[in-house]
């Protein structure tokens, strides 16, 4: 997959390309990564890329001409790549969208600065608008890094063993189970025994239940309109039975199960 980032701060990506899974994916040609300096397409001796907004108001707007020049240059390098503008106006990025975007040849990621870019660039040049969340950044660069990072680890060969991307949080719309490593005891707390049992069937069951519990406690929104497997449904029904037993036990000893009052 090819990534070309259009930015007035290309140097911000130097470190990003040179570390971890991104570095390895580039070295294994699983991805190609490049930046294009928008300022290189600005006219005049000061190569101005921004100007005051028509209609007045605070802040500056990115001029259309340098952006158009940079986008055309990127299109020459990657004619099949989709042109993405990182903006709070866009579809909010999530694991589902990450999977969808890995299906393409590549992405040309346009990073805005200042108050944003001239709207005519969105009209005439941009295929998708993507937001990394409902908050405002000083520029689109960090958003571009997040998109590149989340997509790269989904591309076969990028991660060590394939398996881990499949078992990601959100890959099955559940939060990932807890992870433990040596030492077996830390700060007086032991690793759950089942994980030391070597019984992979029981370990898988424990991990699934751990994912369901975490998702139930932390992100119930993810549990709504989700299709549940037979095994997951069994686990959820067992919880209901266990909770029923507790409630029954409470009422049998005359305690109001909800208030706990006698
Ligand atoms: C943003 C976001 C974001 C808006 C004005 C850059 C800033 C400035 N991009 N998801 N949230 N962009 O806040 O993607 O130009």
């Amino acid at each position: 997959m090819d990534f070309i980032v259009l930015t007035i701060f290309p140097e911000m990506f130097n470190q990003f390309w040179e570390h971890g899974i991104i570095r390895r994916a580039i070295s294994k040609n699983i991805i190609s990564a490049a930046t294009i300096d928008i300022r290189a397409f600005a006219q005049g001796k000061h190569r101005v890329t921004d100007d005051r907004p028509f209609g007045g108001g605070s802040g500056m707007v990115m001029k259309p001409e340098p952006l158009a020049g940079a986008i055309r240059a990127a299109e020459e390098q990657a004619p099949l790549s989709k042109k993405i503008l990182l903006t709070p106006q866009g579809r909010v990025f999530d694991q589902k969208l990450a999977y969808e975007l890995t299906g393409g040849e590549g992405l040309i990621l346009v990073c805005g600065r200042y108050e944003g870019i001239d709207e005519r660039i969105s009209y005439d040049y941009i295929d998708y608008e993507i937001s990394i969340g409902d908050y405002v950044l000083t520029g689109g660069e960090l958003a571009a890094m997040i998109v590149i990072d989340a997509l790269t680890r989904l591309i076969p060969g990028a991660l060590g063993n394939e398996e881990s991307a499949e078992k990601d949080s959100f890959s099955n719309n559940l939060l990932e189970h807890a992870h433990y490593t040596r030492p077996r005891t830390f700060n007086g707390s032991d690793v759950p025994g089942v994980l030391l049992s070597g019984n992979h069937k029981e370990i898988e069951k424990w991990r699934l239940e751990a994912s369901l519990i975490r998702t139930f406690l932390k992100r119930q929104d993810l549990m709504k309109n989700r299709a549940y497997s037979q095994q997951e449904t069994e686990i959820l029904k067992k919880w209901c039975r266990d909770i029923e037993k507790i409630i029954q036990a409470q009422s049998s000893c005359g305690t109001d199960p909800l208030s706990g009052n006698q």
Side-chain angles (χ1 to χ4, degrees), residues 179-246:
H179 295 284
Y180 296 87
T181 187
R182 287 179 294 191
R184 290 184 180 207
T185 303
F186 178 73
N187 275 1
S189 59
D190 295 334
V191 169
V194 64
L195 298 179
L196 310 171
S197 68
N199 177 333
H200 292 292
K201 196 165 171 321
E202 279 308 307
I203 290 170
E204 276 321 300
K205 187 167 172 299
W206 180 90
R207 284 178 168 168
L208 178 57
E209 187 151 8
S211 279
L212 284 165
I213 286 188
R214 279 175 153 216
T215 311
F216 181 76
L217 294 173
K218 298 180 177 182
R219 292 289 309 276
Q220 263 181 48
D221 59 299
L222 293 173
M223 297 189 84
K224 298 203 176 59
N225 52 39
R226 178 185 181 279
Y228 288 89
S229 69
Q230 180 57 30
Q231 189 185 17
E232 291 166 346
T233 307
E234 276 319 308
I235 291 170
L236 296 174
K237 283 187 174 160
K238 178 179 165 302
W239 292 356
C240 297
R241 289 195 297 276
D242 294 350
I243 292 165
E244 265 316 312
K245 280 195 212 112
I246 292 164

Side-chain angles (χ1 to χ4, degrees), residues 6-262:
L6 279 48
T7 168
I8 61 171
F9 297 130
E11 60 285 355
M12 279 180 73
F13 290 81
N14 297 350
Q15 292 305 311
F16 178 61
W17 303 139
E18 283 156 19
H19 290 82
I21 286 167
I22 302 297
R23 174 196 177 90
R24 191 174 61 195
I26 292 169
S27 64
K28 291 165 69 175
N29 294 321
I30 291 169
I31 66 168
S32 73
T35 55
I36 290 180
D37 185 346
I38 297 166
R39 202 176 293 288
F41 297 86
Q43 303 311 316
K45 83 173 155 44
H46 300 297
R47 297 195 172 286
V48 171
T49 60
D50 64 314
D51 200 345
R52 286 178 293 104
F54 278 122
S58 63
M60 300 294 272
V61 175
M62 287 191 92
K63 292 169 63 61
E65 307 95 324
L67 280 164
I71 292 170
R72 278 197 293 273
E75 285 173 324
E76 271 147 39
Q77 289 177 34
L80 300 176
S81 285
K82 289 288 177 224
K83 296 176 287 291
I84 306 268
L85 173 64
L86 290 309
T87 167
Q89 320 260 333
R91 174 181 163 184
V92 175
F93 188 61
D94 60 12
Q95 196 70 358
K96 185 167 171 299
L97 180 52
Y99 273 108
E100 287 170 25
L101 291 170
T102 52
E105 280 293 311
L107 300 179
I108 294 168
L109 297 142
V110 180
C111 302
R113 278 270 153 182
Y114 318 110
E115 294 310 306
I117 72 171
D118 186 289
E119 189 68 10
R120 291 164 288 187
I121 292 294
S122 298
Y123 286 160
D124 304 344
Y125 292 87
I126 298 298
D127 299 310
Y128 303 125
E129 292 186 334
I130 292 179
S131 169
I132 60 162
D134 297 342
Y135 39 81
V136 182
L137 305 169
T138 61
E141 286 78 8
L142 294 178
M145 291 179 194
I146 285 171
V147 170
I148 294 168
D149 188 284
L151 267 65
T152 297
R153 60 187 300 288
L154 295 176
I155 302 169
L159 290 180
N161 57 26
E162 297 308 321
E163 213 243 345
S164 49
E166 269 111 46
K167 287 215 175 312
D168 275 349
S169 283
F170 310 111
S171 57
N172 58 354
N173 237 2
L174 291 177
L175 298 182
E176 211 167 335
H177 53 75
H179 295 284
Y180 296 87
T181 187
R182 287 179 294 191
R184 290 184 180 207
T185 303
F186 178 73
N187 275 1
S189 59
D190 295 334
V191 169
V194 64
L195 298 179
L196 310 171
S197 68
N199 177 333
H200 292 292
K201 196 165 171 321
E202 279 308 307
I203 290 170
E204 276 321 300
K205 187 167 172 299
W206 180 90
R207 284 178 168 168
L208 178 57
E209 187 151 8
S211 279
L212 284 165
I213 286 188
R214 279 175 153 216
T215 311
F216 181 76
L217 294 173
K218 298 180 177 182
R219 292 289 309 276
Q220 263 181 48
D221 59 299
L222 293 173
M223 297 189 84
K224 298 203 176 59
N225 52 39
R226 178 185 181 279
Y228 288 89
S229 69
Q230 180 57 30
Q231 189 185 17
E232 291 166 346
T233 307
E234 276 319 308
I235 291 170
L236 296 174
K237 283 187 174 160
K238 178 179 165 302
W239 292 356
C240 297
R241 289 195 297 276
D242 294 350
I243 292 165
E244 265 316 312
K245 280 195 212 112
I246 292 164
I247 292 170
Q248 294 319 321
Q250 291 285 335
S251 49
S252 62
C253 63
T255 309
D256 169 5
L258 298 178
S259 68
N261 305 338
Q262 294 295 327

